[in-house]
Amino acid sequence: DSRKKNVYSVVRDYRLAAANVEENPDGFAIASADMDELGGWDVITRADEIATRLHIHHLQAEPLHTLSGGERKRVALAA
C-alpha cells in the first residue's frame, strides 16, 4: 500500500522495478502507479536537475567507495 511508503522509497522501488521490467512487468506497473500517487516523478525530475547542475549525472550508478573526494562532496550536496 503506497500510503504507508514515503516518496523516496517509492522512487527507489521504481528505479529497481525499471531495471527489472522484463522479469517483473507487474512490479513495474505497481511501482509506476505508486510514483503517480505519491508524486515520485517530481522527485526524479528535481534529482535530475540537481545532478545536471552539479555535473554528477555520470556518477549515479557508481558505488560511493569508488568516487574521489570531490565527487563525494558533490554527491553529498545533491543529497
Side-chain angles (χ1 to χ4, degrees):
D1 184 295
S2 63
R3 290 175 293 221
K4 294 180 184 176
K5 297 180 183 180
N6 70 53
V7 69
Y8 301 106
S9 66
V10 167
V11 169
R12 183 189 61 237
D13 292 347
Y14 170 78
R15 289 191 175 188
L16 292 171
N20 298 304
V21 67
E22 290 186 21
E23 294 86 23
N24 187 3
D26 292 337
F28 179 74
I30 292 167
S32 295
D34 288 346
M35 289 285 286
D36 290 338
E37 186 175 331
L38 290 178
W41 306 113
D42 294 334
V43 171
I44 286 181
T45 299
R46 185 71 177 133
D48 286 343
E49 289 171 357
I50 292 168
T52 298
R53 287 184 183 174
L54 294 175
H55 305 287
I56 59 169
H57 234 297
H58 65 287
L59 302 175
Q60 288 181 332
E62 298 298 321
L64 189 57
H65 72 275
T66 65
L67 303 182
S68 71
E71 290 170 336
R72 287 181 187 195
K73 286 179 184 179
R74 292 196 320 255
V75 168
L77 284 171

PDB file of all heavy atoms in Angstrom, residues 37-60:
ATOM      1  N   GLU A  37       0.882   8.232  -7.597  1.00  0.00           N
ATOM      2  CA  GLU A  37       0.123   8.539  -6.385  1.00  0.00           C
ATOM      3  C   GLU A  37       0.886   9.453  -5.416  1.00  0.00           C
ATOM      4  O   GLU A  37       0.299  10.334  -4.805  1.00  0.00           O
ATOM      5  CB  GLU A  37      -0.251   7.239  -5.682  1.00  0.00           C
ATOM      6  CG  GLU A  37      -1.162   7.443  -4.497  1.00  0.00           C
ATOM      7  CD  GLU A  37      -1.626   6.130  -3.895  1.00  0.00           C
ATOM      8  OE1 GLU A  37      -1.725   5.133  -4.633  1.00  0.00           O
ATOM      9  OE2 GLU A  37      -1.887   6.124  -2.682  1.00  0.00           O
ATOM     10  N   LEU A  38       2.198   9.246  -5.303  1.00  0.00           N
ATOM     11  CA  LEU A  38       2.964   9.988  -4.305  1.00  0.00           C
ATOM     12  C   LEU A  38       3.829  11.100  -4.885  1.00  0.00           C
ATOM     13  O   LEU A  38       4.591  11.734  -4.157  1.00  0.00           O
ATOM     14  CB  LEU A  38       3.839   9.035  -3.492  1.00  0.00           C
ATOM     15  CG  LEU A  38       3.075   8.126  -2.546  1.00  0.00           C
ATOM     16  CD1 LEU A  38       4.018   7.187  -1.820  1.00  0.00           C
ATOM     17  CD2 LEU A  38       2.287   8.936  -1.534  1.00  0.00           C
ATOM     18  N   GLY A  39       3.729  11.347  -6.178  1.00  0.00           N
ATOM     19  CA  GLY A  39       4.497  12.438  -6.777  1.00  0.00           C
ATOM     20  C   GLY A  39       5.969  12.124  -6.973  1.00  0.00           C
ATOM     21  O   GLY A  39       6.814  13.021  -6.953  1.00  0.00           O
ATOM     22  N   GLY A  40       6.283  10.875  -7.185  1.00  0.00           N
ATOM     23  CA  GLY A  40       7.662  10.471  -7.381  1.00  0.00           C
ATOM     24  C   GLY A  40       8.296  11.054  -8.631  1.00  0.00           C
ATOM     25  O   GLY A  40       9.504  11.267  -8.679  1.00  0.00           O
ATOM     26  N   TRP A  41       7.478  11.347  -9.627  1.00  0.00           N
ATOM     27  CA  TRP A  41       8.020  11.914 -10.869  1.00  0.00           C
ATOM     28  C   TRP A  41       8.651  13.272 -10.602  1.00  0.00           C
ATOM     29  O   TRP A  41       9.685  13.613 -11.198  1.00  0.00           O
ATOM     30  CB  TRP A  41       6.934  12.017 -11.938  1.00  0.00           C
ATOM     31  CG  TRP A  41       6.249  10.707 -12.181  1.00  0.00           C
ATOM     32  CD1 TRP A  41       4.946  10.402 -11.898  1.00  0.00           C
ATOM     33  CD2 TRP A  41       6.840   9.511 -12.708  1.00  0.00           C
ATOM     34  NE1 TRP A  41       4.699   9.092 -12.238  1.00  0.00           N
ATOM     35  CE2 TRP A  41       5.839   8.526 -12.740  1.00  0.00           C
ATOM     36  CE3 TRP A  41       8.111   9.182 -13.164  1.00  0.00           C
ATOM     37  CZ2 TRP A  41       6.073   7.233 -13.211  1.00  0.00           C
ATOM     38  CZ3 TRP A  41       8.348   7.895 -13.627  1.00  0.00           C
ATOM     39  CH2 TRP A  41       7.329   6.944 -13.648  1.00  0.00           C
ATOM     40  N   ASP A  42       8.068  14.047  -9.708  1.00  0.00           N
ATOM     41  CA  ASP A  42       8.643  15.352  -9.360  1.00  0.00           C
ATOM     42  C   ASP A  42      10.000  15.186  -8.681  1.00  0.00           C
ATOM     43  O   ASP A  42      10.918  15.977  -8.920  1.00  0.00           O
ATOM     44  CB  ASP A  42       7.702  16.136  -8.439  1.00  0.00           C
ATOM     45  CG  ASP A  42       6.402  16.515  -9.117  1.00  0.00           C
ATOM     46  OD1 ASP A  42       6.379  16.629 -10.362  1.00  0.00           O
ATOM     47  OD2 ASP A  42       5.394  16.706  -8.399  1.00  0.00           O
ATOM     48  N   VAL A  43      10.127  14.169  -7.849  1.00  0.00           N
ATOM     49  CA  VAL A  43      11.397  13.911  -7.165  1.00  0.00           C
ATOM     50  C   VAL A  43      12.473  13.530  -8.179  1.00  0.00           C
ATOM     51  O   VAL A  43      13.596  14.038  -8.123  1.00  0.00           O
ATOM     52  CB  VAL A  43      11.228  12.814  -6.090  1.00  0.00           C
ATOM     53  CG1 VAL A  43      12.572  12.388  -5.528  1.00  0.00           C
ATOM     54  CG2 VAL A  43      10.309  13.299  -4.987  1.00  0.00           C
ATOM     55  N   ILE A  44      12.134  12.663  -9.117  1.00  0.00           N
ATOM     56  CA  ILE A  44      13.109  12.262 -10.149  1.00  0.00           C
ATOM     57  C   ILE A  44      13.511  13.455 -10.999  1.00  0.00           C
ATOM     58  O   ILE A  44      14.693  13.644 -11.298  1.00  0.00           O
ATOM     59  CB  ILE A  44      12.556  11.117 -11.015  1.00  0.00           C
ATOM     60  CG1 ILE A  44      12.576   9.826 -10.218  1.00  0.00           C
ATOM     61  CG2 ILE A  44      13.361  10.964 -12.299  1.00  0.00           C
ATOM     62  CD1 ILE A  44      12.077   8.613 -10.970  1.00  0.00           C
ATOM     63  N   THR A  45      12.539  14.284 -11.369  1.00  0.00           N
ATOM     64  CA  THR A  45      12.838  15.474 -12.174  1.00  0.00           C
ATOM     65  C   THR A  45      13.782  16.399 -11.423  1.00  0.00           C
ATOM     66  O   THR A  45      14.782  16.877 -11.973  1.00  0.00           O
ATOM     67  CB  THR A  45      11.542  16.221 -12.544  1.00  0.00           C
ATOM     68  OG1 THR A  45      10.722  15.340 -13.316  1.00  0.00           O
ATOM     69  CG2 THR A  45      11.822  17.474 -13.329  1.00  0.00           C
ATOM     70  N   ARG A  46      13.497  16.640 -10.163  1.00  0.00           N
ATOM     71  CA  ARG A  46      14.340  17.529  -9.359  1.00  0.00           C
ATOM     72  C   ARG A  46      15.729  16.929  -9.162  1.00  0.00           C
ATOM     73  O   ARG A  46      16.738  17.639  -9.245  1.00  0.00           O
ATOM     74  CB  ARG A  46      13.670  17.791  -8.006  1.00  0.00           C
ATOM     75  CG  ARG A  46      14.395  18.777  -7.165  1.00  0.00           C
ATOM     76  CD  ARG A  46      14.266  20.185  -7.731  1.00  0.00           C
ATOM     77  NE  ARG A  46      14.949  21.103  -6.821  1.00  0.00           N
ATOM     78  CZ  ARG A  46      15.799  22.031  -7.204  1.00  0.00           C
ATOM     79  NH1 ARG A  46      16.017  22.238  -8.474  1.00  0.00           N
ATOM     80  NH2 ARG A  46      16.373  22.794  -6.321  1.00  0.00           N
ATOM     81  N   ALA A  47      15.804  15.645  -8.927  1.00  0.00           N
ATOM     82  CA  ALA A  47      17.101  14.981  -8.761  1.00  0.00           C
ATOM     83  C   ALA A  47      17.927  15.088 -10.038  1.00  0.00           C
ATOM     84  O   ALA A  47      19.142  15.328  -9.985  1.00  0.00           O
ATOM     85  CB  ALA A  47      16.902  13.518  -8.366  1.00  0.00           C
ATOM     86  N   ASP A  48      17.290  14.927 -11.186  1.00  0.00           N
ATOM     87  CA  ASP A  48      18.000  15.060 -12.455  1.00  0.00           C
ATOM     88  C   ASP A  48      18.499  16.489 -12.667  1.00  0.00           C
ATOM     89  O   ASP A  48      19.608  16.696 -13.168  1.00  0.00           O
ATOM     90  CB  ASP A  48      17.111  14.634 -13.622  1.00  0.00           C
ATOM     91  CG  ASP A  48      16.935  13.131 -13.716  1.00  0.00           C
ATOM     92  OD1 ASP A  48      17.732  12.394 -13.106  1.00  0.00           O
ATOM     93  OD2 ASP A  48      15.995  12.692 -14.410  1.00  0.00           O
ATOM     94  N   GLU A  49      17.689  17.470 -12.292  1.00  0.00           N
ATOM     95  CA  GLU A  49      18.108  18.871 -12.406  1.00  0.00           C
ATOM     96  C   GLU A  49      19.340  19.144 -11.542  1.00  0.00           C
ATOM     97  O   GLU A  49      20.293  19.778 -11.983  1.00  0.00           O
ATOM     98  CB  GLU A  49      16.980  19.810 -11.982  1.00  0.00           C
ATOM     99  CG  GLU A  49      15.821  19.867 -12.943  1.00  0.00           C
ATOM    100  CD  GLU A  49      14.626  20.626 -12.384  1.00  0.00           C
ATOM    101  OE1 GLU A  49      14.661  21.082 -11.208  1.00  0.00           O
ATOM    102  OE2 GLU A  49      13.629  20.759 -13.118  1.00  0.00           O
ATOM    103  N   ILE A  50      19.308  18.660 -10.323  1.00  0.00           N
ATOM    104  CA  ILE A  50      20.430  18.867  -9.401  1.00  0.00           C
ATOM    105  C   ILE A  50      21.675  18.148  -9.911  1.00  0.00           C
ATOM    106  O   ILE A  50      22.778  18.706  -9.899  1.00  0.00           O
ATOM    107  CB  ILE A  50      20.052  18.407  -7.980  1.00  0.00           C
ATOM    108  CG1 ILE A  50      18.992  19.342  -7.400  1.00  0.00           C
ATOM    109  CG2 ILE A  50      21.275  18.343  -7.076  1.00  0.00           C
ATOM    110  CD1 ILE A  50      18.344  18.841  -6.134  1.00  0.00           C
ATOM    111  N   ALA A  51      21.511  16.914 -10.371  1.00  0.00           N
ATOM    112  CA  ALA A  51      22.653  16.152 -10.891  1.00  0.00           C
ATOM    113  C   ALA A  51      23.278  16.861 -12.084  1.00  0.00           C
ATOM    114  O   ALA A  51      24.503  16.896 -12.222  1.00  0.00           O
ATOM    115  CB  ALA A  51      22.208  14.740 -11.277  1.00  0.00           C
ATOM    116  N   THR A  52      22.468  17.458 -12.921  1.00  0.00           N
ATOM    117  CA  THR A  52      22.981  18.184 -14.082  1.00  0.00           C
ATOM    118  C   THR A  52      23.740  19.427 -13.642  1.00  0.00           C
ATOM    119  O   THR A  52      24.853  19.686 -14.121  1.00  0.00           O
ATOM    120  CB  THR A  52      21.829  18.573 -15.028  1.00  0.00           C
ATOM    121  OG1 THR A  52      21.207  17.361 -15.490  1.00  0.00           O
ATOM    122  CG2 THR A  52      22.320  19.379 -16.216  1.00  0.00           C
ATOM    123  N   ARG A  53      23.179  20.175 -12.716  1.00  0.00           N
ATOM    124  CA  ARG A  53      23.843  21.400 -12.244  1.00  0.00           C
ATOM    125  C   ARG A  53      25.174  21.117 -11.555  1.00  0.00           C
ATOM    126  O   ARG A  53      26.109  21.899 -11.659  1.00  0.00           O
ATOM    127  CB  ARG A  53      22.932  22.162 -11.291  1.00  0.00           C
ATOM    128  CG  ARG A  53      21.800  22.840 -11.985  1.00  0.00           C
ATOM    129  CD  ARG A  53      20.980  23.650 -11.023  1.00  0.00           C
ATOM    130  NE  ARG A  53      19.844  24.233 -11.721  1.00  0.00           N
ATOM    131  CZ  ARG A  53      18.898  24.899 -11.120  1.00  0.00           C
ATOM    132  NH1 ARG A  53      18.928  25.064  -9.805  1.00  0.00           N
ATOM    133  NH2 ARG A  53      17.896  25.395 -11.812  1.00  0.00           N
ATOM    134  N   LEU A  54      25.245  20.002 -10.838  1.00  0.00           N
ATOM    135  CA  LEU A  54      26.466  19.661 -10.114  1.00  0.00           C
ATOM    136  C   LEU A  54      27.411  18.777 -10.938  1.00  0.00           C
ATOM    137  O   LEU A  54      28.453  18.354 -10.440  1.00  0.00           O
ATOM    138  CB  LEU A  54      26.127  18.973  -8.791  1.00  0.00           C
ATOM    139  CG  LEU A  54      25.409  19.839  -7.765  1.00  0.00           C
ATOM    140  CD1 LEU A  54      25.018  19.019  -6.546  1.00  0.00           C
ATOM    141  CD2 LEU A  54      26.271  21.017  -7.350  1.00  0.00           C
ATOM    142  N   HIS A  55      27.021  18.504 -12.169  1.00  0.00           N
ATOM    143  CA  HIS A  55      27.832  17.676 -13.081  1.00  0.00           C
ATOM    144  C   HIS A  55      28.147  16.311 -12.488  1.00  0.00           C
ATOM    145  O   HIS A  55      29.292  15.848 -12.509  1.00  0.00           O
ATOM    146  CB  HIS A  55      29.130  18.409 -13.459  1.00  0.00           C
ATOM    147  CG  HIS A  55      28.899  19.761 -14.029  1.00  0.00           C
ATOM    148  ND1 HIS A  55      28.401  19.957 -15.300  1.00  0.00           N
ATOM    149  CD2 HIS A  55      29.061  20.988 -13.495  1.00  0.00           C
ATOM    150  CE1 HIS A  55      28.284  21.252 -15.530  1.00  0.00           C
ATOM    151  NE2 HIS A  55      28.669  21.907 -14.437  1.00  0.00           N
ATOM    152  N   ILE A  56      27.108  15.668 -11.951  1.00  0.00           N
ATOM    153  CA  ILE A  56      27.307  14.340 -11.361  1.00  0.00           C
ATOM    154  C   ILE A  56      26.404  13.280 -11.981  1.00  0.00           C
ATOM    155  O   ILE A  56      26.319  12.162 -11.460  1.00  0.00           O
ATOM    156  CB  ILE A  56      27.102  14.366  -9.827  1.00  0.00           C
ATOM    157  CG1 ILE A  56      25.701  14.833  -9.464  1.00  0.00           C
ATOM    158  CG2 ILE A  56      28.169  15.190  -9.148  1.00  0.00           C
ATOM    159  CD1 ILE A  56      25.346  14.644  -8.008  1.00  0.00           C
ATOM    160  N   HIS A  57      25.760  13.611 -13.082  1.00  0.00           N
ATOM    161  CA  HIS A  57      24.854  12.646 -13.712  1.00  0.00           C
ATOM    162  C   HIS A  57      25.559  11.318 -13.989  1.00  0.00           C
ATOM    163  O   HIS A  57      25.001  10.243 -13.778  1.00  0.00           O
ATOM    164  CB  HIS A  57      24.295  13.216 -15.016  1.00  0.00           C
ATOM    165  CG  HIS A  57      22.823  13.210 -15.081  1.00  0.00           C
ATOM    166  ND1 HIS A  57      22.076  12.062 -15.055  1.00  0.00           N
ATOM    167  CD2 HIS A  57      21.936  14.211 -15.169  1.00  0.00           C
ATOM    168  CE1 HIS A  57      20.810  12.357 -15.128  1.00  0.00           C
ATOM    169  NE2 HIS A  57      20.688  13.659 -15.191  1.00  0.00           N
ATOM    170  N   HIS A  58      26.801  11.398 -14.447  1.00  0.00           N
ATOM    171  CA  HIS A  58      27.556  10.203 -14.791  1.00  0.00           C
ATOM    172  C   HIS A  58      27.935   9.359 -13.570  1.00  0.00           C
ATOM    173  O   HIS A  58      28.367   8.213 -13.710  1.00  0.00           O
ATOM    174  CB  HIS A  58      28.820  10.598 -15.558  1.00  0.00           C
ATOM    175  CG  HIS A  58      29.794  11.395 -14.753  1.00  0.00           C
ATOM    176  ND1 HIS A  58      29.570  12.714 -14.418  1.00  0.00           N
ATOM    177  CD2 HIS A  58      30.964  11.047 -14.185  1.00  0.00           C
ATOM    178  CE1 HIS A  58      30.586  13.147 -13.688  1.00  0.00           C
ATOM    179  NE2 HIS A  58      31.445  12.163 -13.534  1.00  0.00           N
ATOM    180  N   LEU A  59      27.743   9.898 -12.380  1.00  0.00           N
ATOM    181  CA  LEU A  59      28.127   9.185 -11.167  1.00  0.00           C
ATOM    182  C   LEU A  59      26.980   8.402 -10.527  1.00  0.00           C
ATOM    183  O   LEU A  59      27.191   7.677  -9.563  1.00  0.00           O
ATOM    184  CB  LEU A  59      28.676  10.176 -10.128  1.00  0.00           C
ATOM    185  CG  LEU A  59      29.876  11.013 -10.555  1.00  0.00           C
ATOM    186  CD1 LEU A  59      30.219  12.024  -9.468  1.00  0.00           C
ATOM    187  CD2 LEU A  59      31.063  10.124 -10.872  1.00  0.00           C
ATOM    188  N   GLN A  60      25.785   8.529 -11.063  1.00  0.00           N
ATOM    189  CA  GLN A  60      24.614   7.952 -10.405  1.00  0.00           C
ATOM    190  C   GLN A  60      24.700   6.444 -10.202  1.00  0.00           C
ATOM    191  O   GLN A  60      24.205   5.938  -9.212  1.00  0.00           O
ATOM    192  CB  GLN A  60      23.348   8.290 -11.177  1.00  0.00           C
ATOM    193  CG  GLN A  60      22.957   9.740 -11.040  1.00  0.00           C
ATOM    194  CD  GLN A  60      21.687  10.071 -11.788  1.00  0.00           C
ATOM    195  OE1 GLN A  60      21.353   9.441 -12.786  1.00  0.00           O
ATOM    196  NE2 GLN A  60      20.981  11.070 -11.305  1.00  0.00           N
TER     197      GLN A  60
END
